[in-house]
Amino acid sequence: MSDEDTWTTVTRLHDWLTAHQTLPPGQEIVLRVLKLSEEVGEAAQAVIGATGQNPRKGNSHTWEDVEAELCDVVITAMVALRTLTPDASAVFARHLDRVAARSLPTGEGAEPRTS
């Protein structure tokens, strides 16, 4: 899936959620950010389960469960960003470029995107 296809799908998810939203529009972004916290908690729970750190539950999750939960975190964050701005893909690309530029040595992905 291309970046464009990914953001098209994110927009479709955003539109579907918005169509089923019963709260005022101003509260929509707040709830989507709170949903992100819930998803992060589920990822943490999966790590605890994958490492068997809860003696009562033992190894209740796999590392594949952790992968899935992390994907849910990413998707939820993308939908929240799309809720905040219709230009989410460009906002994300610019921010990723800034993070790469300050974090990666030249020649390892720090160059700005051309597309």
Side-chain angles (χ1 to χ4, degrees):
M1 183 178 282
S2 71
D3 282 352
E4 185 175 323
D5 292 338
T6 297
W7 284 104
T8 297
T9 301
V10 167
T11 295
R12 290 178 60 219
L13 289 167
H14 164 268
D15 293 348
W16 175 75
L17 288 168
T18 300
H20 292 87
Q21 182 68 35
T22 59
L23 295 171
Q27 293 180 8
E28 189 175 28
I29 187 61
V30 172
L31 292 176
R32 299 226 173 124
V33 171
L34 289 175
K35 178 66 175 172
L36 183 56
S37 295
E38 177 189 6
E39 295 297 341
V40 169
E42 291 175 10
Q45 181 180 18
V47 169
I48 290 167
T51 58
Q53 295 305 302
N54 183 337
R56 187 174 51 83
K57 294 182 180 179
N59 288 83
S60 59
H61 292 75
T62 66
W63 287 107
E64 289 78 18
D65 294 328
V66 175
E67 290 173 357
E69 294 299 343
L70 289 173
C71 288
D72 287 348
V73 169
V74 171
I75 293 165
T76 302
M78 292 173 84
V79 171
L81 181 60
R82 173 55 188 86
T83 301
L84 195 58
T85 176
D87 200 21
S89 64
V91 169
F92 180 78
R94 283 192 306 270
H95 189 75
L96 182 60
D97 286 343
R98 284 194 300 272
V99 169
R102 72 174 183 245
S103 303
L104 300 174
T106 303
E108 292 187 30
E111 296 82 17
R113 297 172 194 231
T114 57
S115 58

